[in-house]
Every structure is written in C-alpha cells, then in structure tokens.
Amino acid sequence: MKKAVFIFFLLAITSTGFCQLKSIPFEVVDSLQHIQKRNIIVFIHADWCQFCQRMKSTTFKNQEITEKLNSDFYFIDLNAEEKRDIAFNNQVFKYQPSGNNVGVNELAVQLGTIDNQIVYPVLCVLNSKNEIILQYNSCLSPKDFKLILEKLKE
C-alpha cells in the first residue's frame, strides 16, 4: 500500500511539477506554422524590469497558463536588449545601441511599441501570418493572463 501511494505521489509531482513553458526562437516560427497554424505570443521584457521578472516568476510559472501556452500557441520569450541578430518574417533585426552598454533590438521596437513608446513588459500576439492582433504593456497576473488566453482561443 505504501508503495502504491508513493508511486501515485511521484506521478502527481512529475505531471504537475515539471510542466515548463516552452519558448521557441523566432527563426523556427515559419516552419512550425507550416505544420500547424497557431497564434504567436511574444513576451517582450528587459532583465532590469521588476514587473517583467514578476510575470516570469508568477504568471509564467502558473500550471494552467503553461499548459495552455504549450498546447495552443507558439510562445517566444524576447529580451528587448537581445544583442544577437534575429531573423524573422523575411527580415533581420539588429541590436541598436543607444548609449554606453544600453540599447534595444529592432524587433522588440517593432513588436513592442505602443503609442510611440515601449513600456515593459509587453505582450504582443501575432496571428499565423505574423500580423499583430494584440499588444498589451502591463504586468499581467495569472488571472488576467488566463482571460486573455481564453479570448484569443475563441
């Protein structure tokens, strides 16, 4: 009996505790869209942004959100200050320095600019044709993010 309880407990932990959010690179989105059409959710953030870090540690650790993102969407985690070139949508986006050790990637600017500015964190949703269908620049709680995901799936 103890063995059965232990195995059940181990399976329960394995199925819920290790469910991690799968982030894909921009470079593979087009090939994935040929296999299965899905909306793309891009989380644009900066390492120094406390609200971005809060979303990473709460919203994106929520099991329901992780499962829904992994099964229904393509999720991309984009550091706005990414220094490497990013190929996406038949373009190459480069890092643009704006000062001493400061700058932003052109792709973050293109996807994250709302009312002529970027305020982190930014949630950008693209359809299967890589067109922006939603932009939201605020820290989202798990509850609020679930509502957005439900509306996107309708």
Side-chain angles (χ1 to χ4, degrees), residues 113-143:
T113 300
I114 302 171
D115 296 328
N116 296 318
Q117 66 178 352
I118 296 180
V119 178
Y120 303 111
V122 178
L123 182 71
C124 180
V125 182
L126 308 170
N127 64 17
S128 61
K129 297 174 187 170
N130 299 331
E131 301 165 331
I132 296 173
I133 58 173
L134 173 74
Q135 288 175 302
Y136 191 83
N137 61 344
S138 185
C139 184
L140 289 163
S141 69
K143 179 182 174 185

Side-chain angles (χ1 to χ4, degrees), residues 1-153:
M1 181 66 175
K2 286 182 183 180
K3 239 183 195 181
V5 170
F6 176 73
I7 291 172
F8 175 75
F9 179 72
L10 188 61
L11 289 173
I13 287 176
T14 305
S15 65
T16 60
F18 297 114
C19 187
Q20 291 188 352
L21 184 56
K22 296 176 185 111
S23 178
I24 62 168
F26 276 100
E27 290 81 2
V28 301
V29 169
D30 286 337
S31 58
L32 289 173
Q33 292 290 15
H34 289 297
I35 298 166
Q36 183 178 15
K37 301 260 185 235
R38 294 182 183 181
N39 285 341
I40 305 159
I41 295 184
V42 184
F43 175 60
I44 306 168
H45 60 88
D47 290 338
W48 48 262
C49 170
Q50 66 181 352
F51 299 108
C52 303
Q53 300 310 316
R54 182 179 307 148
M55 273 189 74
K56 282 183 170 188
S57 65
T58 58
T59 305
F60 293 119
K61 297 285 184 187
N62 180 284
Q63 182 182 349
E64 286 180 71
I65 289 171
T66 300
E67 289 173 359
K68 187 164 274 306
L69 285 173
N70 287 342
S71 66
D72 299 338
F73 301 92
Y74 295 125
F75 178 77
I76 300 175
D77 185 358
L78 175 61
N79 182 343
E81 299 170 328
E82 178 67 53
K83 291 184 178 176
R84 71 176 177 87
D85 291 354
I86 301 172
F88 175 65
N89 209 21
N90 299 317
Q91 288 183 272
V92 176
F93 297 90
K94 299 182 176 294
Y95 176 78
Q96 296 297 314
S98 59
N100 204 11
N101 238 1
V102 180
V104 66
N105 192 289
E106 294 170 326
L107 185 54
V109 173
Q110 183 170 330
L111 297 178
T113 300
I114 302 171
D115 296 328
N116 296 318
Q117 66 178 352
I118 296 180
V119 178
Y120 303 111
V122 178
L123 182 71
C124 180
V125 182
L126 308 170
N127 64 17
S128 61
K129 297 174 187 170
N130 299 331
E131 301 165 331
I132 296 173
I133 58 173
L134 173 74
Q135 288 175 302
Y136 191 83
N137 61 344
S138 185
C139 184
L140 289 163
S141 69
K143 179 182 174 185
D144 293 337
F145 195 74
K146 283 179 202 173
L147 290 173
I148 290 174
L149 292 178
E150 288 169 12
K151 292 287 185 195
L152 287 170
K153 215 39 201 158

